[in-house]
Amino acid sequence: MSQTGQRAVIVAGWLVAAILAVLVGVVGIGLVGLTGREADTMSEADVEQALGEVPATAPPSATPAGEPSPSAVSREQSFRTRGGTVVAGCDGIVSMSPAQGFGVHERRQSEGEFRGVRDDHVRVKVELTCVDGVPHIDERDDD
């Protein structure tokens, strides 16, 4: 087979492969349901009706750092800090969820530390204390 014939076979093979890849993608999207069919979309009237059926709730109030949130259970409470959210009770820290840009560096029973993900010198240390059966978090920034 000549060099020109080989090139033609290679080009034809690539074209067939590209067409098959596109067809597989289209069929896959159709199976998943990402085609944006009319049945999947809601009209403006449908949206307003659905929103009208949802009961109105009061917006959550902001709580200062280190203060327990009002919706927290009396034994375990949630505390918002600059580094993230800490859930704790008098028995110890239950969980630490970092805010955007932070990661959990250390978590012990009564203390923990959030660190910046881009600059690990940005630190927010938290310490758990318990007064009259109510947990409190002391927040300390160590930049």
Side-chain angles (χ1 to χ4, degrees), residues 9-97:
V9 169
I10 291 172
V11 169
W14 276 106
L15 285 174
V16 169
I19 291 170
L20 284 175
V22 169
L23 288 174
V24 168
V26 169
V27 170
I29 288 173
L31 291 174
V32 173
L34 299 176
T35 58
R37 289 176 252 143
E38 281 295 320
D40 295 337
T41 59
M42 294 177 73
S43 69
E44 188 174 339
D46 292 338
V47 171
E48 288 178 11
Q49 180 183 0
L51 289 175
E53 295 172 359
V54 176
T57 59
S61 61
T63 57
E67 294 296 317
S69 68
S71 63
V73 180
S74 62
R75 294 187 59 101
E76 292 176 358
Q77 297 188 3
S78 175
F79 303 90
R80 296 186 70 190
T81 70
R82 185 171 78 96
T85 303
V86 179
V87 177
C90 286
D91 294 335
I93 294 175
V94 176
S95 68
M96 294 175 65
S97 177

Side-chain angles (χ1 to χ4, degrees), residues 81-143:
T81 70
R82 185 171 78 96
T85 303
V86 179
V87 177
C90 286
D91 294 335
I93 294 175
V94 176
S95 68
M96 294 175 65
S97 177
Q100 187 170 4
F102 285 89
V104 175
H105 175 69
E106 181 180 320
R107 186 185 109 189
R108 295 187 182 164
Q109 186 170 353
S110 63
E111 60 185 27
E113 181 178 311
F114 295 104
R115 282 198 184 172
V117 292
R118 291 194 178 148
D119 180 7
D120 68 350
H121 296 291
V122 177
R123 300 175 183 190
V124 178
K125 294 184 178 184
V126 294
E127 185 175 346
L128 172 67
T129 57
C130 201
V131 178
D132 296 328
V134 178
H136 295 279
I137 290 289
D138 295 319
E139 177 183 351
R140 189 174 79 235
D141 293 343
D142 288 345
D143 291 345

